[in-house]
Amino acid sequence: MLHTANGHYVEVEENVTLYVEDVGEGKPVVFVHGMPVNHRIYEYQQSVLPQHGIRFIGIDLRGYGRSDHPLNGYTYDRMADDIKAVIDQLNLNDVTLAGFSMGGGVVTRYMGRHRGHKVSKLMLFGAATLSKLPEEAVNGLIVGLQADRPQTLTNMFKGFFHTAPSQGIENWLWHMGMEANVHATIETVKAIGSEDLRSDLEAIRVPTLMLHGVHDQVCPFPAAEQAHEIVSTSKLVRFENSGHAPFYEEREKFNREVIEFVLA
């Protein structure tokens, strides 16, 4: 494992290394991003949570951000294994594990596949748990990524918000999306369309906080309500003025909910 000023490069399997941002001291919260962004999607949490005694640990999944872009390994199983490798190599305990969108699906798989190893609390943000992409949507997205990835990402990010953000925010997201490896992006789209997480949800036993925008068009709110019914230890918080990005659109409320849950 290599260290930088605020991060680590963690080898999760032979010749595959992930970048992990690590800021602050206190209760560790491991944040997992969605497709096609990276850990920097949590910028408005990374700049706030360490001031409240929370250690921010943001993973760039394989194929994304500053992590390696191998040919294989873009299933939820393998990405869940990657998270376990990071948690173990950083010697983390009493972890709050958090996932957004596809990352919510990955951390849900982690809870089932690894029986919640080292995790004492779970957070799901606009999570892709029971809101699988239909086959035609998956195929259409793959065609778009192969034919014109820049425009496809532009269209995708416009659907993130309930209220149109600034051009700067759109540009910021677009650049994150373009930093991702195109093969990794396509393979994870396939995973989102094929993974079944119901049994993983049923395996969750730890306190779970679900934060979800009621206007979410990517992972619709009714799917969050269904997941909430399955996870008996969960609390579902509605974000009335948010689409798929409550961490940005209602970030003060979002951060308050996160801080209260982690420190409780």
Side-chain angles (χ1 to χ4, degrees), residues 136-157:
E136 59 270 21
V138 170
N139 293 337
L141 190 51
I142 290 171
V143 168
L145 290 167
Q146 291 173 331
D148 188 344
R149 184 162 68 120
Q151 187 59 49
T152 299
L153 293 180
T154 297
N155 298 340
M156 180 189 303
F157 289 127

Side-chain angles (χ1 to χ4, degrees), residues 25 35 47 50 71 73 94 96 98 109 111 117 120 134 140 143 146 165 172 175 179 200 208 231 233 241 247:
E25 297 179 352
M35 182 282 300
S47 61
L71 182 63
D94 192 21
T96 299
R109 172 57 49 82
M111 297 303 292
H117 173 72
S120 58
V143 168
Q146 291 173 331
W172 174 60
H175 281 289
E179 287 175 0
D200 301 288
T208 299
V231 182
T233 54
N241 300 308
F247 49 83

Side-chain angles (χ1 to χ4, degrees), residues 2-9 19-21 66:
L2 299 176
H3 302 272
T4 64
N6 286 313
H8 316 279
Y9 284 94
Y19 177 74
V20 182
E21 190 86 353
R66 296 163 68 178

Side-chain angles (χ1 to χ4, degrees), residues 93-257:
N93 292 288
D94 192 21
V95 171
T96 299
L97 184 59
F100 161 63
S101 195
M102 177 193 77
V106 173
V107 301
T108 298
R109 172 57 49 82
Y110 179 96
M111 297 303 292
R113 181 171 173 84
H114 295 297
R115 302 182 185 87
H117 173 72
K118 300 288 189 74
V119 173
S120 58
K121 296 180 182 179
L122 181 70
M123 297 191 292
L124 301 173
F125 314 137
T129 52
L130 297 178
S131 52
K132 287 173 61 176
L133 285 176
E135 184 178 356
E136 59 270 21
V138 170
N139 293 337
L141 190 51
I142 290 171
V143 168
L145 290 167
Q146 291 173 331
D148 188 344
R149 184 162 68 120
Q151 187 59 49
T152 299
L153 293 180
T154 297
N155 298 340
M156 180 189 303
F157 289 127
K158 287 185 182 299
F160 261 45
F161 300 95
H162 175 53
T163 303
S166 67
Q167 187 63 53
I169 289 292
E170 288 192 5
N171 293 346
W172 174 60
L173 293 171
W174 183 87
H175 281 289
M176 266 193 276
M178 287 301 295
E179 287 175 0
N181 176 270
V182 63
H183 172 72
T185 305
I186 289 170
E187 290 302 306
T188 47
V189 167
K190 293 177 183 177
I192 295 168
S194 63
E195 298 280 2
D196 185 344
L197 295 168
R198 184 170 292 271
S199 63
D200 301 288
L201 286 168
E202 292 170 349
I204 294 172
R205 298 288 183 269
V206 300
T208 299
L209 180 65
M210 300 179 178
L211 306 183
H212 212 107
V214 298
H215 303 285
D216 194 332
Q217 301 299 308
V218 180
C219 297
F221 189 77
E225 293 179 308
Q226 293 171 13
H228 171 52
E229 291 176 3
I230 293 171
V231 182
S232 61
T233 54
S234 66
K235 172 187 176 183
L236 174 60
V237 180
R238 297 167 59 96
F239 282 72
E240 302 289 347
N241 300 308
S242 293
H244 195 46
F247 49 83
Y248 171 74
E249 291 191 273
E250 296 180 77
R251 58 182 174 268
E252 290 184 3
K253 176 182 176 180
F254 184 96
N255 287 345
R256 184 169 62 250
E257 291 285 349

